[in-house]
Amino acid sequence: VFQYSLPVASIVANFTPPSDGKPSLLTHDEVETLFHEFGHIMHQTLTRAPYASLSGSATAQDFVEAPSQMLENWVWNKQILARISGHYLDNSKKLPDDVLNKMLEAKNFNQGYFYTRQLVLGLTDMTIHTQQGAVDVDATYDKTYEELLG
Ligand SMILES: [Zn+2]
């Protein structure tokens, strides 16, 4: 007899522990990790798939990180950060805009190069695996790199 079981998931992670009379104060990086993993929790628990083997992270490999990536973006949003953060003794003291702006600049630094290089790697792979006969891997990479990055 088929019986639907509600999905159950948990996050097992290492975060900054409480210390010196202070509660656990997560770094921004840890908050991003928490949101990322919570994306997996949402993916695992909001399913209505009839079989566990077809639900949650048992999905197309290129989609498995999508919910987590979406939630990660929220920790870089000023309004979201204002709602979820503040000084632990005075929650009205929020992360200053200039600090968040510097964090965003650091996060975005070099992203054009990073993603263009990812494109080089993907196109090189596609080129190598769609050619007939012998393939010069180094020449294919060099040509693709030259075309996209100079
Ligand atoms: Zn993930």
Side-chain angles (χ1 to χ4, degrees):
V1 172
F2 174 79
Q3 181 180 354
Y4 187 78
S5 300
L6 288 176
V8 175
S10 66
I11 296 173
V12 179
N14 293 310
F15 290 129
T16 303
S19 63
D20 300 329
K22 295 178 184 172
S24 173
L25 300 172
L26 303 185
T27 65
H28 184 266
D29 198 45
E30 289 173 329
V31 174
E32 187 175 32
T33 298
L34 178 63
F35 272 61
H36 178 98
E37 301 308 333
F38 195 69
H40 288 304
I41 295 291
M42 293 289 96
H43 199 176
Q44 295 287 350
T45 58
L46 296 179
T47 183
R48 292 181 183 204
Y51 303 106
S53 62
L54 300 174
S55 71
S57 57
T59 184
Q61 198 62 38
D62 62 350
F63 185 75
V64 72
E65 296 295 328
S68 295
Q69 304 277 312
M70 288 185 267
L71 265 67
E72 269 185 40
N73 276 329
W74 291 350
V75 300
W76 295 99
N77 178 293
K78 287 180 188 179
Q79 292 160 321
I80 299 295
L81 279 178
R83 288 181 64 182
I84 66 168
S85 67
H87 191 280
Y88 79 101
L89 292 176
D90 180 358
N91 194 268
S92 70
K93 293 181 180 172
K94 301 297 181 181
L95 189 66
D97 272 359
D98 63 320
V99 173
L100 178 60
N101 288 336
K102 286 177 183 170
M103 290 167 60
L104 281 166
E105 287 172 10
K107 175 183 182 268
N108 294 332
F109 174 73
N110 233 8
Q111 291 298 292
Y113 173 77
F114 176 82
Y115 284 106
T116 305
R117 184 171 176 280
Q118 291 299 113
L119 192 57
V120 168
L121 297 174
L123 286 172
T124 300
D125 193 49
M126 296 288 283
T127 302
I128 289 168
H129 291 282
T130 56
Q131 285 183 1
Q132 303 294 320
V135 176
D136 185 334
V137 174
D138 290 340
T140 302
Y141 174 81
D142 290 346
K143 181 175 179 283
T144 308
Y145 190 97
E146 178 71 28
E147 285 172 6
L148 274 76
L149 287 165

